[in-house]
Amino acid sequence: MIKQIENAAGRLVPTTVNGRQTTPYQGVGGYLPHGHKVGPPLRSCAQYPDGSKLAPNLVAALSRAGLRDGMVISSHHHFRDGDLLMEQVFAAAAQLGVRDLVWFPSAAFPCHRSLIRYLEDGTIHHIEGSLNGPLGVYASAGKMRGMAVLRSHGSRYRAVQDGDVHIDIAIIAAPAADSFGNCSGVNGPSACGPLGFALADAQYADHVIAVTDNLVPFPCIPWHINGNLVDQVVVVERIGDPARIVSGTTELTRSPDRLLIAEYAARFVRDVGIMRPGFSFQAGAGGTSLAFTLFLRDMMREAGVKARFIRGGSTKYLVEMLESGLTDYVLDGQSFDLDGVRSLRDNPAHVATNPFITYNYHGKGNVAALVDCVVLGATEVDVDFNANVVTHSDGLLLHGIGGWQDTLFARCTILTVPSFRDRVPIIRDRVTTLCGPGELIAVVVTERGIAINPRRQDLLAAVRGSALPIRSLHEIKAEAEAICGGAPAPLQTGEEIIGVVTWVDGTILDSVRQVVDEDVLAMAGGMQGEAA
Amino acid sequence: MHARAEAGARGAGIRSDCWVQVEDAGPGQPKIEIHSRVAALYGDSIRTLVHSTLHELGADDLSLTIEDSGALPFTIMARIEAAVHRLQPDNRRVVLPAVNPASVYASDRQRIRRSRLYLPGTTPKFFINAGLHGPDAVILDLEDSVPPAEKDAARILVRNALRTVSFYGAEKVVRINQLPRGLDDVRALAPHGVHTFMIPKVEHADEVLAVHRLVEDLRRSGQVTGDIYLLPIIESAKGVINSFAIASAAASIVGLALGLEDYTTDIGAQRTAEGRESEWAAGQIIVAARAAGVQPLASVYSDIGDEQGLYHWARQQRLLGFDGIGCIHPRQIRVVHDAFAPSEKEIEQARRIVSAYEEAMASGRGVVAVEGKMIDPPVVARAQRIMRLAMMTTERHVGATEAAETP
């Protein structure tokens, strides 16, 4: 039985994770690092004599990179559910006969369910990274060796920079690349937008392999990843499925309840005075968040308010806002549709960002804290405003953290959640898995009212006299539970810890335990995971 | 193989519902099998509910399988009852969920009926949050949205919803089936908190009268206590011709609604966006309803994606004289309320008329005058209605402000 300790949030967490000593969570801002960043090995350009780094295929590239048992292989998730590369990479690794690799993706998606085969045959030991859908169910059932280590986008960059994770070989899927190794995300059949999630990998890995299906003559412009960081370039037939990387058009939700929640959130942002000339906000491309953006857009237009910047994920709607003068800049971490990709390529005010710029907690300042408001989802919230984004109330690990934790530092963090989903109450006495400390969450917007964190007296004062349906979280919880037929039974989990949630500073915030309920696992068997 | 019957729905796309199968257990012990998406949270609670429901139905000896996709208790009970009744057609026992105090409130005949939201009577997921979108009325539909094979199950489900679901102050309307089946709907549902019955495809006054008399019979036998109103729908040439007789058939009638889809078919026309084919019917319905002292209510706008079109159409109905329209999606409600909202100018004028009227009443004068002009009673009534519409907007404002003061 692994040794556990209670952290500052009252959660039992392991003191070692996958053999590495860890620090328990010490509160927001409680842990300060010391020492130096890690450094990748020194190289000379004399080792890359003619400037061409082409390798004949993945097997050759991996063996030239010195692939051996137990190594850490990293990848980025800009291709989302359309990634065709990692299957090829691990097939090549299996062909070379190596075992016990650690896969360190910036996120995994349902398309990666095929990699379960390599977990089963021992090629992969475990995955350190966000697990969406089928891989999460696999880990929840206790089938994965080693622990899933869940990190936010910012915390992943930080973990590499701080040396928590040493990347032996970084794989960079490049929609366009030249033979020198410059990589671009905005051209080619697998165009995906910026490549920021691969930045830490390129900067800090021992060995960097760029893989493309679209080799262009030098220079590959814009070079989102500089060839000076790249060891080898491999050309394969296909690296991505364009239809699953970005959608042609972003779908708008028709759900009246989601629309109602989004509208409440937008009215809140307007009525408390966050929406004012020069303000900034961030909202994702999920149903409710996207609807929020559209409601706010109309309100901005009506009031003649222009934002200083909007943080992407970009969609055609953000692009329209930029082009129609509703914001000076779009600062974009990932593009969700083709309009986002096009705008990033063609419009100098649409700027590619990466987790170092926007989220790295061990940096000299936090850009996420300069955003006036952020609108996020959650799987659960508790009465102290703590929130969960990775597990469901039945204990299944189904979602990654993404940039969720990083953005909590915005000046006003708004969670949009239904008060219950299909008889599952979302507001709990205690969240199943703690991902976001309540002190950072200002507002919870549900279809049955808006709850303001009592810590935010400024916001409570700002809503006085407004027509917004302000209620307490306790009240909304009681109403939802009455509808659902009483408070839900306490969750019975297994003892075994199958994963940990790290905080943005690398300390351990909570543990994810094995799901033992046969019914839950059986139901999850046929289920498709949703992308976070 | 033993006799079996089923009710409800299952499958990947199903939410907030369940599928139930009951079966004669034969000589063996009855088996209860439960599969639920919320087993981890409500598995025990579902098992208890299944046992108590079967027991109250006198069906402890049946085997039961349930596949639950997050159904609320009122739905689980309704699905079990429907399945048992299908297996045992002579079983007359029912299982009534406890009445939710939040679902008990009165309506009134003069209430504003700008928006009425249609909810298919077989789809519980649409019931649960319908009231949050603020419709003036919700219509739990047993008629066109329910396939013939589901009429029995829908009636049970709607009955349970009337008792347990809070529609947050919306008038609770049930659209019954065409008579004579509709009379069975009335008998089954009138005791469970219905405010208003909508009667479809009415062509003669005696159809409405039959419903009215049945409700009065139920009242005399103590099964109905509160007021129950009637809202006939005119959907045919004959109905339009007889509209005044229909609207004035009984004292419990509060409005007259026009159903355009069937009406246009009946007269051999096609329904168009401009609606010229139904102008005459609209005029007839408005005049008949006003002459009978009830509210004329317009049809529905079918393109749920077109908010602007909806706004213009609803506005046009209001200018014609209708008091409200039907909604087929919750997002239409706000738009309809905007379209029916009085303008500042109208409110100001109405305020002057109403205060002049009150002043005249207080001073015992029979004549009301504003700026030297005589004001007739219908103008006063209209002004009072405009003031009520205006108040409905401010009331929401005031309520929310109070809530905000006490976080």
Side-chain angles (χ1 to χ4, degrees):
Chain A
M1 184 79 190
I2 199 154
K3 196 180 162 212
Q4 296 175 41
I5 188 169
E6 189 178 307
N7 68 15
R11 301 277 170 160
L12 270 184
V13 297
T15 54
T16 57
V17 171
N18 296 329
R20 193 175 63 86
Q21 198 85 28
T22 55
T23 308
Y25 172 68
Q26 299 178 9
V28 175
Y31 169 78
L32 292 179
H34 48 82
H36 294 79
K37 297 179 184 181
V38 297
L42 279 167
R43 298 271 191 264
S44 161
C45 65
Q47 296 167 281
Y48 307 84
D50 60 358
S52 172
K53 304 169 184 176
L54 286 174
N57 54 49
L58 278 170
V59 172
L62 287 172
S63 83
R64 200 185 290 171
L67 181 70
R68 58 173 195 277
D69 293 355
M71 275 190 161
V72 175
I73 311 291
S74 78
S75 64
H76 70 71
H77 74 276
H78 284 287
F79 290 179
R80 287 176 278 269
D81 203 29
D83 175 45
L84 299 177
L85 179 56
M86 292 319 289
E87 169 62 35
Q88 299 175 58
V89 168
F90 285 108
Q95 199 182 322
L96 288 168
V98 295
R99 299 184 58 78
D100 295 341
L101 298 173
V102 176
W103 182 32
F104 180 56
S106 53
F109 277 78
C111 67
H112 294 118
R113 72 170 70 73
S114 66
L115 299 186
I116 288 175
R117 171 162 92 248
Y118 301 111
L119 284 160
E120 301 257 281
D121 74 10
T123 307
I124 303 177
H125 183 272
H126 70 273
I127 300 167
E128 283 207 19
S130 288
L131 298 177
N132 288 330
L135 286 169
V137 174
Y138 182 81
S140 288
K143 292 182 188 165
M144 192 169 81
R145 298 180 288 163
M147 279 183 210
V149 183
L150 305 178
R151 296 183 180 88
S152 67
H153 292 329
S155 191
R156 182 177 184 274
Y157 187 95
R158 181 211 51 72
V160 175
Q161 160 200 286
D162 292 9
D164 296 357
V165 177
H166 175 85
I167 302 172
D168 294 298
I169 299 172
I171 304 290
I172 297 178
D178 60 31
S179 59
F180 187 75
N182 294 301
C183 302
S184 178
V186 291
N187 293 304
S190 298
C192 60
L195 291 176
F197 293 125
L199 182 66
D201 313 50
Q203 289 173 329
Y204 290 100
D206 281 355
H207 195 101
V208 178
I209 301 174
V211 186
T212 189
D213 53 10
N214 178 34
L215 188 72
V216 299
F218 179 92
C220 176
I221 299 292
W223 42 45
H224 291 123
I225 299 287
N226 298 117
N228 316 66
L229 297 168
V230 174
D231 292 87
Q232 302 186 71
V233 177
V234 180
V235 180
V236 298
E237 199 175 316
R238 270 182 96 198
I239 56 173
D241 174 0
R244 303 176 82 97
I245 295 174
V246 287
S247 45
T249 54
T250 313
E251 295 243 344
L252 290 178
T253 180
R254 268 235 177 115
S255 154
D257 302 334
R258 285 178 170 204
L259 287 166
L260 184 66
I261 294 171
E263 192 175 357
Y264 280 156
R267 280 171 53 194
F268 180 88
V269 168
R270 179 191 63 188
D271 293 355
V272 301
I274 292 171
M275 188 190 93
R276 62 185 186 284
F279 84 117
S280 55
F281 74 93
Q282 173 164 10
T288 310
S289 299
L290 187 61
F292 160 83
T293 300
L294 297 186
F295 282 118
L296 192 67
R297 173 196 68 189
D298 294 347
M299 292 172 186
M300 288 168 69
R301 218 168 253 160
E302 201 183 327
V305 166
K306 182 180 194 176
R308 175 61 176 161
F309 67 94
I310 305 173
R311 284 276 292 124
S314 64
T315 60
K316 73 168 179 183
Y317 302 103
L318 283 200
V319 171
E320 277 167 18
M321 290 178 78
L322 178 65
E323 290 173 354
S324 66
L326 284 175
T327 181
D328 289 335
Y329 293 102
V330 169
L331 302 181
D332 193 5
Q334 50 184 327
S335 306
F336 288 111
D337 61 26
L338 291 168
D339 294 88
V341 176
R342 173 195 45 86
S343 170
L344 181 77
R345 186 180 58 224
D346 301 338
N347 190 340
H350 189 146
V351 183
T353 66
N354 59 58
F356 171 74
I357 295 174
T358 49
Y359 291 153
N360 178 22
Y361 197 70
H362 289 169
K364 297 172 182 174
N366 188 357
V367 167
L370 305 182
V371 180
D372 286 317
C373 85
V374 62
V375 174
L376 303 165
T379 57
E380 292 178 319
V381 183
D382 71 25
V383 289
D384 296 320
F385 288 77
N386 297 303
N388 176 10
V389 74
V390 299
T391 55
H392 284 202
S393 299
D394 54 15
L396 284 173
L397 173 62
L398 290 177
H399 308 278
I401 299 172
W404 189 92
Q405 278 182 335
D406 307 301
T407 63
L408 296 179
F409 288 87
R411 293 180 178 122
C412 178
T413 297
I414 299 171
L415 300 185
T416 52
V417 292
S419 65
F420 63 97
R421 286 189 187 98
D422 278 343
R423 210 186 174 180
V424 177
I426 301 303
I427 304 164
R428 312 296 307 269
D429 286 323
R430 193 168 188 271
V431 284
T432 303
T433 309
L434 176 61
C435 301
E439 63 198 277
L440 296 177
I441 291 160
V443 183
V444 175
V445 180
T446 77
E447 80 291 357
R448 285 180 162 71
I450 301 173
I452 297 174
N453 192 328
R455 296 176 183 89
R456 293 300 299 266
Q457 289 298 321
D458 57 325
L459 295 174
L460 283 163
V463 296
R464 218 153 272 159
S466 87
L468 296 166
I470 307 293
R471 305 175 72 189
S472 79
L473 262 189
H474 288 278
E475 239 179 280
I476 300 171
K477 172 174 181 278
E479 186 180 335
E481 285 180 357
I483 292 169
C484 291
L491 180 65
Q492 308 293 327
T493 59
E495 278 303 305
E496 197 197 331
I497 297 176
I498 58 103
V500 289
V501 174
T502 65
W503 182 231
V504 292
D505 58 8
T507 58
I508 307 298
L509 186 56
D510 205 354
S511 312
V512 180
R513 284 166 208 278
Q514 187 183 354
V515 172
V516 288
D517 192 315
E518 291 296 329
D519 273 353
V520 170
L521 290 170
M523 285 273 171
M527 185 190 49
Q528 299 291 310
E530 301 161 48
Chain B
M1 199 165 103
H2 301 294
R4 54 170 67 164
E6 60 184 69
R10 59 178 165 173
I14 298 298
R15 298 198 297 112
S16 305
D17 205 344
C18 63
W19 174 86
V20 170
Q21 179 180 268
V22 289
E23 188 175 4
D24 285 326
Q29 275 287 79
K31 276 200 253 356
I32 306 293
E33 205 178 311
I34 296 172
H35 303 284
S36 172
R37 280 191 215 158
V38 296
L41 304 176
Y42 290 104
D44 291 342
S45 145
I46 293 170
R47 187 165 290 276
T48 309
L49 185 66
V50 166
H51 280 288
S52 68
T53 305
L54 282 176
H55 182 73
E56 283 189 57
L57 289 166
D60 298 286
D61 54 339
L62 297 182
S63 288
L64 178 147
T65 306
I66 176 167
E67 286 181 31
D68 170 43
S69 308
L72 295 178
F74 80 86
T75 302
I76 297 177
M77 294 167 78
R79 295 315 189 192
I80 295 174
E81 184 177 325
V84 169
H85 284 183
R86 283 172 181 179
L87 186 69
Q88 307 173 339
D90 297 330
N91 187 338
R92 296 271 183 270
R93 297 198 204 190
V94 298
V95 192
L96 300 178
V99 171
N100 170 10
S103 77
V104 181
Y105 48 83
S107 182
D108 72 279
R109 47 177 311 123
Q110 293 298 337
R111 70 170 291 144
I112 301 286
R113 295 183 177 88
R114 296 164 295 182
S115 58
R116 50 181 206 278
L117 177 64
Y118 281 92
L119 302 168
T122 40
T123 320
K125 71 174 176 184
F126 293 134
F127 300 171
I128 302 163
N129 286 342
L132 294 176
H133 302 278
D136 292 330
V138 290
I139 301 169
L140 297 157
D141 182 31
L142 298 176
E143 198 219 3
D144 282 352
S145 67
V146 178
E150 290 298 320
K151 296 288 185 190
D152 57 336
R155 189 188 285 161
I156 297 170
L157 185 69
V158 164
R159 181 200 66 203
N160 286 7
L162 285 167
R163 296 173 65 88
T164 57
V165 175
S166 174
F167 292 102
Y168 299 91
E171 180 173 38
K172 292 189 274 183
V173 181
V174 171
R175 181 164 75 171
I176 59 175
N177 287 289
Q178 270 187 278
L179 307 191
R181 190 206 287 269
L183 294 175
D184 292 335
D185 294 332
V186 171
R187 219 169 271 124
L189 299 183
H192 301 286
V194 180
H195 293 131
T196 302
F197 283 115
M198 271 193 120
I199 313 164
K201 302 184 175 67
V202 175
E203 300 198 322
H204 299 286
D206 49 4
E207 296 165 55
V208 187
L209 208 52
V211 176
H212 175 80
R213 286 188 179 134
L214 175 56
V215 172
E216 288 314 302
D217 286 348
L218 292 168
R219 190 186 308 284
R220 268 191 291 280
S221 66
Q223 295 184 67
V224 169
T225 48
D227 286 339
I228 291 184
Y229 307 118
L230 303 183
L231 200 48
I233 318 174
I234 306 298
E235 305 178 70
S236 64
K238 206 176 271 175
V240 172
I241 292 294
N242 293 332
S243 53
F244 176 69
I246 292 167
S248 50
S252 53
I253 297 171
V254 292
L256 200 58
L258 176 59
L260 282 181
E261 297 296 340
D262 286 350
Y263 170 75
T264 44
T265 312
D266 193 42
I267 63 165
Q270 281 203 342
R271 199 176 168 189
T272 63
E274 306 84 62
R276 288 189 53 195
E277 71 286 351
S278 56
E279 272 173 6
W280 187 79
Q284 278 292 115
I285 295 297
I286 292 162
V287 171
R290 294 297 180 203
V294 303
Q295 300 174 351
L297 301 173
S299 194
V300 299
Y301 187 80
S302 318
D303 186 351
I304 56 172
D306 183 4
E307 283 197 3
Q308 281 215 311
L310 169 65
Y311 179 84
H312 289 301
W313 188 78
R315 190 100 199 132
Q316 196 189 333
Q317 304 310 300
R318 178 185 173 232
L319 295 176
L320 282 174
F322 282 114
D323 280 354
I325 73 167
C327 297
I328 52 171
H329 191 277
R331 294 304 295 179
Q332 292 187 321
I333 294 163
R334 169 76 58 84
V335 180
V336 170
H337 289 186
D338 283 349
F340 277 85
S343 67
E344 292 292 326
K345 206 174 138 194
E346 283 176 293
I347 295 171
E348 191 40 48
Q349 200 182 0
R351 197 193 312 276
R352 265 187 262 138
I353 293 168
V354 172
S355 63
Y357 170 76
E358 283 167 357
E359 218 172 282
M361 289 299 107
S363 64
R365 284 196 311 263
V367 182
V368 185
V370 173
E371 286 154 9
K373 273 199 258 173
M374 295 268 289
I375 303 294
D376 296 328
V379 178
V380 174
R382 185 162 168 274
Q384 283 170 327
R385 195 185 128 77
I386 287 170
M387 291 308 290
R388 279 173 68 210
L389 274 171
M391 289 288 283
M392 286 178 79
T393 332
T394 24
E395 263 169 34
R396 262 175 72 183
H397 219 82
V398 173
T401 310
E402 279 164 8
E405 295 294 340
T406 50

